[in-house]
Amino acid sequence: MQKNKVFLFIYLSCFLLLGFLSSSSVNASSQNIIIYLNNKPLVSQTAPFIEKGVTLVPMRLIFEALEAKVGWVAETQTVIAKKNATSITLTIGQKSAFIDINKQELRLPPILRNGTTYVPLRFISESLGANVTWDEKNKAVFIDSKPESLTNVSQLGASQISKALSIQEIGQMEKAIAFIYNHALDGTDSFGSGFSISEDGKIVTNYHVIANAENLTVSLDTDKEYTDITVLGYDVHKDIALLQINTPDKLPFCRLGDSDKVILGDSIVVIGNPMGLRNTLSTGIISSLKQQGFIQISAPISPGSSGGALFNMHGEVIGITSAAIFDGQNLGFCIPINEIKNISIASPLTLTELNKAENTLSAPQNVRAFPLSSSEIAVQWDYNPTIDYYYVYFCDNPSGKFVPFLDEYNTKRQFDWFEPYSMSNYDLPSGSTIYYQITAVKNGTESPFSQVVSATTLKDDTTGFIDIVKQGSFNQFPNQKVDVYFNAFFKNPKWTYFRSEQDENIVEFTGTYPYKNSENLVLIQFAVNPTFKSFEVVYLERDGYGLSSYALEDLVKAIFSQ
């Protein structure tokens, strides 16, 4: 009996110590974070903090700093902020947020702590048009509320043309359509389209038109060819690029419209270079606005059309012709022109520098996979603060074709880095082996593939997570076999596992023990530390009735007194 009481003291003491350490670690991380807005520090009475890799800041601090009006709906615990034409809606504890009417998934939901509402810093800042960078060395966040972009170049504003033009009048814009010739690093040649948007030679096109170029030749509707080309900005994921022709010539240019105002059924005009046929004009209508962020049109698109201009009937460019489904009839797809307006032009690159940036991006390091249960596998890799996001590819055969995980729009799903793992593959059959490869994406460029790793789902959840419990410890007593003690004092002991709504790993124990001449059914849930090295009791139940956490001592004393 004396040995059992010693274990009880260890158990309770370490349980209290865990809570103290957890609270202390949050406060320590909060004190180290400094936020700068346009290089000036933001000061707040309540400090920001980092949770699961996400920087959370006081709601009013960030919204008011970015000149947004913010409101609070107490009944639903909802934050509503507005700046100009942008509206942001977030709810405490909910990962789904809305930018205007567009649903976005947050890495971490807003939380309410000590009477202060905290919101994800990067999501709020970027939703309001700011750029966010993280300085790992100095534990500092830098917010640029007025990043240099096309929207800040007054010459490139939307046209003030109000009256509708004829097709023939819009056809005069052919003078601003570019023919782009790409001599690639591998010796192959290709061509595409583009269009001028300023008289000083800014050219919009698709990224794939200029990809891997050793040199480019750009010509408009003149006899001149331009080869001194700089890449002002690009986004591989969105397939857009902005070039600069370095010339003293004043060039014809197109005016930009607002692709957010496009309406289904609108008449349109397309001008490009299909099959190399210079400045070909075709007409059609907007046939869909529901194609994964593309504007679908009925005007034909062919190879060579990529990067061409999609005009509305006011002569404004509202899209970039990008792709087509050739098995169908007149199924063309264009990138909304508003995507190019927000592209950063702060760091121009030569073609050599662009190719070097593409080719030197390293694959994720130390990739590993491990089973979480009989139906779920987790994948993790080393943290790299310079990476924007990651793609995860999988296959059931190491020599087979690896395919990416897709999102609800059937495009490659973007994964952020989290601890203890960044991605979990669930709903898998028991005992199945899956192989994985990871790529990193920075500034729209995708890295080479990582090494192949694999894991096999457990055959039995109970056995697998009893092993996790056995590996668990209470700080300085790493060899304490918790399940041995519980199994010794309970009848019909059972260990199971599930994931909570807060994405915690929960190990649940059930068993019966004699107390006051009756059999008592006890249920105890442990939240397992992300490292699987410690855990704490988060829920207690005896004979169907929940017990508060302070009842742990009475419960355990009752068990050990028998």
Side-chain angles (χ1 to χ4, degrees), residues 234 349 352-361 445:
Y234 69 100
L349 299 172
T352 300
E353 291 170 335
L354 175 64
N355 291 323
K356 182 178 180 181
E358 291 179 357
N359 296 329
T360 57
L361 185 59
T445 300

Side-chain angles (χ1 to χ4, degrees), residues 179-201:
F179 183 91
I180 301 176
Y181 178 83
N182 179 344
H183 178 69
L185 293 170
D186 61 4
T188 61
D189 298 321
S190 60
F191 60 86
S193 304
F195 52 93
S196 170
I197 59 172
S198 67
E199 65 178 9
D200 67 349

Side-chain angles (χ1 to χ4, degrees), residues 205-224:
T205 187
N206 287 135
Y207 177 81
H208 73 260
V209 171
I210 67 164
N212 301 312
E214 182 177 6
N215 55 66
L216 295 171
T217 301
V218 178
S219 60
L220 300 176
D221 192 29
T222 66
D223 293 333
K224 282 192 174 182

Side-chain angles (χ1 to χ4, degrees), residues 191-194 206 209 270-276 300-309 320-322:
F191 60 86
S193 304
N206 287 135
V209 171
V270 173
I271 305 179
N273 306 303
M275 307 304 293
I301 292 178
S302 302
S305 296
S306 293
I320 309 164
T321 54
S322 180

